[in-house]
Amino acid sequence: MDLLSTGVDIPDLEYIVFLRPVKSRILFEQMLGRGTRKGEHHPDKSHFVVFDCFGGSLLDYFNKVTSITAEPPKRETKPITQIIDEIWNNRDREYNTRVLVKRLNRIDKEMSGEARDLFSNFVEKGDLKKFAVSLERRVQNDFTGTMELLRDRDFQNLLQNYPRPPKKFIVDYGTQDDVSSTWVVRDSAGNEYKPVDYLTQFSKFVRENPEKIEAIRILLDRPQEWSTDALGELKQKLAATPQRFTLENLERAHKVQYHKALVDIISMVKHAAKEESELLTAEERIRRACDAVTTGKTFTPDQKVWLRRIRSHLIENLSIDKEDFETIPVFADHGGWGGRANRIFNNQLSILIQEFNEAVAV
């Protein structure tokens, strides 16, 4: 169902099936909006059908919070008899004639064969659509004769109560459908990879390209050189590969394959190079790194406050540099590097952040 939100154009769409619960009002309206398009092969499409696979609870919920309803309005905003009366009394004749034409076309789409037989008593062969097409000309050329038909009580009664084909809803309790989906990644050449194949390609790339991407060599062999620049190079060069090893694609593939959400990029590279390497989230990695750097050391209250800021920054960025203290608000707003942070750590902050970066990359 996520495919039917935006950017999808299927004019002849007749059925929308909700197979998973949706809680976003905007997403729900976008999905239903796909069914409101007029058909290309069937331009007379008058409705579409929505299947709520949750006992009607989904539609019931959104009926209360959106302007979209599951059923058509119970009655027209203006009865067809009133439209005819306004034409007869010459009130906005041209406009009301166009409204009546649309109403007759709708009746033609919805009526049964029995209704067509009944309409044949008033219009040729019961062809209400043909009659509607000619209505504006008839009103202009033979107003009195046309209105005599339109104001006929029996004709008006039929227009309001014409027989409709029965609507059937079949429930098959004896059949159970198994629904499955497979997430794939498409590379720049159009090739598609399942998660296991995508990660196999990633592992092959990491093992074969440490010389081409310095950040990979740093993570595998020289963690003491890990930095913000190294992280930036790693993300940029991975995303530029033909296989599109973006952080988003890699996170999704690891989640599907290993049932581990939000695996950090460092873990991905290390696991690709050596399968027994543990997959960690950024928060798990930074917790270990902070413990490794701070265990056994004593810090003042002010230093602990700055350590918490450094920890939060590392969870978001997986690295820290001196420049961050002058540009990142969480640091700069509290004095930055020269104004406060370095002094609080007795001018030893450079050594400390190097220890943090190395611990993060281990």
Side-chain angles (χ1 to χ4, degrees):
M1 230 14 259
D2 284 337
L3 295 176
L4 292 181
S5 52
T6 58
V8 175
D9 185 16
I10 310 176
D12 291 298
L13 187 69
E14 295 183 69
Y15 302 97
I16 295 179
V17 183
F18 285 89
L19 294 175
R20 71 169 180 82
V22 178
K23 292 300 181 183
S24 167
R25 178 186 62 80
I26 294 176
L27 187 59
F28 176 82
E29 291 186 345
Q30 287 175 341
M31 291 175 175
L32 253 61
R34 301 311 94 188
T36 61
R37 292 290 314 279
K38 287 294 185 76
E40 291 179 349
H41 301 291
H42 305 285
D44 60 344
K45 184 177 79 172
S46 62
H47 66 280
F48 62 97
V49 180
V50 177
F51 291 89
D52 179 355
C53 296
F54 302 92
S57 60
L58 199 63
L59 291 175
D60 181 64
Y61 171 76
F62 283 107
N63 274 340
K64 299 174 183 177
V65 297
T66 72
S67 59
I68 296 178
T69 58
E71 301 83 20
K74 292 182 179 179
R75 62 179 63 184
E76 302 288 352
T77 54
K78 184 187 295 186
I80 197 167
T81 53
Q82 182 180 343
I83 297 172
I84 294 172
D85 184 62
E86 291 186 354
I87 296 173
W88 173 246
N89 287 290
N90 206 23
R91 289 195 292 266
D92 294 325
R93 180 192 291 181
E94 292 183 0
Y95 168 75
N96 281 296
T97 301
R98 292 195 299 269
V99 172
L100 182 57
V101 168
K102 292 181 179 180
R103 198 71 63 83
L104 294 175
N105 276 317
R106 185 182 305 166
I107 295 172
D108 181 77
K109 295 175 185 177
E110 298 178 349
M111 67 183 180
S112 66
E114 178 187 357
R116 200 170 301 279
D117 290 336
L118 293 174
F119 275 115
S120 65
N121 295 320
F122 302 96
V123 299
E124 185 179 0
K125 298 181 181 179
D127 193 341
L128 206 58
K129 182 176 182 180
K130 184 177 181 181
F131 176 75
V133 170
S134 65
L135 183 60
E136 291 184 79
R137 176 176 52 81
R138 288 170 179 265
V139 169
Q140 185 176 3
N141 296 338
D142 184 13
F143 180 74
T144 304
T146 302
M147 294 309 302
E148 183 179 359
L149 169 62
L150 293 176
R151 299 180 70 225
D152 184 287
R153 294 300 180 187
D154 292 333
F155 184 55
Q156 290 188 359
N157 181 61
L158 183 58
L159 289 174
Q160 296 178 91
N161 304 296
Y162 56 91
R164 296 162 173 81
K167 294 183 179 181
K168 295 182 180 180
F169 188 85
I170 301 174
V171 179
D172 186 356
Y173 294 103
T175 301
Q176 179 175 344
D177 293 328
D178 296 322
V179 180
S180 62
S181 63
T182 301
W183 178 77
V184 296
V185 180
R186 184 178 291 106
D187 67 14
S188 58
N191 301 311
E192 293 185 344
Y193 300 94
K194 294 181 179 180
V196 61
D197 300 322
Y198 188 66
L199 293 180
T200 298
Q201 290 291 317
F202 180 63
S203 180
K204 179 180 178 182
F205 179 86
V206 168
R207 293 174 183 178
E208 293 180 354
N209 290 278
E211 294 80 14
K212 297 180 181 179
I213 301 181
E214 182 68 13
I216 293 180
R217 296 183 64 185
I218 290 174
L219 286 177
L220 299 182
D221 301 320
R222 306 194 306 274
Q224 68 275 12
E225 298 179 22
W226 182 247
S227 65
T228 299
D229 288 341
L231 177 61
E233 180 212 14
L234 179 64
K235 290 181 178 180
Q236 186 271 325
K237 289 191 174 180
L238 288 179
T241 59
Q243 296 86 356
R244 295 175 177 168
F245 293 128
T246 64
L247 182 60
E248 180 183 3
N249 285 343
L250 289 169
E251 279 186 352
R252 182 74 179 271
H254 280 83
K255 180 179 179 181
V256 173
Q257 183 64 20
Y258 298 107
H259 308 290
K260 177 82 173 183
L262 301 177
V263 174
D264 71 77
I265 188 67
I266 297 174
S267 291
M268 296 175 189
V269 172
K270 290 179 175 292
H271 187 268
K274 188 180 295 185
E275 193 171 352
E276 57 268 26
S277 296
E278 190 175 2
L279 293 173
L280 303 172
T281 65
E283 190 166 355
E284 292 169 342
R285 177 170 296 280
I286 300 310
R287 182 174 64 247
R288 293 187 182 189
C290 289
D291 289 344
V293 171
T294 61
T295 297
K297 299 178 182 179
T298 302
F299 297 95
T300 67
D302 285 342
Q303 288 173 339
K304 290 179 179 178
V305 171
W306 277 91
L307 286 174
R308 286 195 292 270
R309 294 172 183 150
I310 291 172
R311 176 192 178 98
S312 298
H313 177 78
L314 285 171
I315 290 174
E316 294 294 326
N317 299 277
L318 292 177
S319 65
I320 188 168
D321 284 339
K322 179 179 178 179
E323 290 75 14
D324 294 333
F325 286 82
E326 302 299 336
T327 58
I328 304 300
V330 70
F331 300 137
D333 290 350
H334 294 87
W337 180 278
R340 190 162 188 184
N342 194 34
R343 287 190 295 103
I344 286 178
F345 286 99
N346 303 315
N347 297 319
Q348 300 297 307
L349 187 54
S350 294
I351 298 175
L352 186 64
I353 63 174
Q354 183 176 353
E355 291 177 356
F356 272 120
N357 281 333
E358 181 175 358
V360 168
V362 169

